[in-house]
Amino acid sequence: TNDGNAILREITVQHPAAKTMIEIARTQDEEVGDGTTSVIVLAAEVLGVSQQFLEDKMHPTVIINAYRQALEDAVTMLEEKVAFDVDINNEGEMIKVIQSCIGTKFISRWADLACQIALRAVRTVVMEQDAEIDTKRYAKVEKIPGGTIEESKVLDGVMFNKDVTHPKMKRRIENPKILLLDCNLEYKKGESQTNIEIMKEDDFSKILEMEEAYIKKVCDEIIKFSPDLVITEKGVSDLAQHFLSKAGISVIRRLRKTDNLRVARACGATIVNRTDEITEDDLGTGAGLFEVRKIGDEYFTFIEQCKNPKACTILLRGASKDILNEVERNLQDAIHVARNIFLKPKLVPGGGAV
């Protein structure tokens, strides 16, 4: 790997100054995504120069004040004289900028592809109104070993490693109406400890009937809005699966909260916490295709062809896990660079190194 931070974070150090140096590289990696090695070289040089002053019995605060002044001057100088504006709508220009960060890394052989992936991912996630670009939450990287790096791409939607819960349910639906839930579709267990005394055997079937009636009610509340796909973060009982698959609804259960938020932003749905609170507006209709595909030995759910997705999944393919991890790290750097330029469209020569 040629990513300073990736090497440094594997090292365990006790020395406080060395710890700070590693922190610097980490911060640089998270904020800028480029220049992790340069920042260490620079910081070490800065420390080296100050040694002379310490020997002359100058107080550390005085030295730091001087450095602060120098920093302010440097920033002003860079902003006014050196930095030039970048047109974020000009794809060629943007790709050149992102390439400067990838050039020295493992992924540089596929630089064009990586730049386009980073650019598309950031473009998708940009929220105009609140000027925030949360690539960590809404641009998820899914790594699937097998295949070649050239097959990597940004989906116009999301994917996750799940299959429908019942074999009879549809695995492909065009223009699905998607309902996202955050509640159990199974019988609620009683609070704390619940004791039920049963005198005769009819009582037992009565209890089962009550459970069945509750699940039927929950499923009817869902079926009333006739969604094509129900995704819940919790469990779905066999009985609920039966009712829903009879109504021709596909169900996916136990999806991670973070994935559910991405699905919500991709297809325009709202996550509902209780089935009796569902309204028409909560259903997501922005997706063009729901499909379960088998890649290798596992099933993956794709929700694609979204009209205006505000979240996306980056699908990475590669020969082995190690290669995928390295590619992901390099890609994260590229995404950070793209994100920073969208937030502040200025560039200094040398990119992250400066």
Side-chain angles (χ1 to χ4, degrees), residues 131-166:
E132 56 105 30
I133 305 177
D134 196 341
T135 48
K136 218 181 211 138
R137 254 197 268 156
Y138 299 117
K140 172 88 187 293
V141 177
E142 283 281 354
K143 299 175 290 214
I144 305 179
T148 60
I149 293 184
E150 284 84 20
E151 286 170 31
S152 308
K153 58 175 184 283
V154 178
L155 303 175
D156 45 3
V158 287
M159 66 163 279
F160 38 85
N161 188 349
K162 288 269 182 236
D163 190 9
V164 287
T165 52
H166 194 283

Side-chain angles (χ1 to χ4, degrees), residues 15-33:
H15 195 289
K19 273 189 184 154
T20 318
M21 297 291 275
I22 290 175
E23 280 294 301
I24 296 175
R26 210 195 75 210
T27 317
Q28 179 80 2
D29 196 56
E30 282 172 11
E31 289 297 319
V32 187

Side-chain angles (χ1 to χ4, degrees), residues 27 32-33 48 104 123 169 178 187 193 231 244 253 265 282 285 331 351:
T27 317
V32 187
T104 56
R123 277 236 165 98
M169 293 174 175
I178 301 175
Y187 191 66
Q193 284 191 337
I231 299 178
L244 293 171
R253 65 177 167 187
R265 282 197 31 169
D282 294 331
T285 51
L331 197 62

Side-chain angles (χ1 to χ4, degrees), residues 63-75:
I63 303 176
I64 289 169
N65 276 337
Y67 274 139
R68 287 242 165 88
Q69 189 55 51
L71 174 67
E72 275 172 27
D73 293 348
V75 170

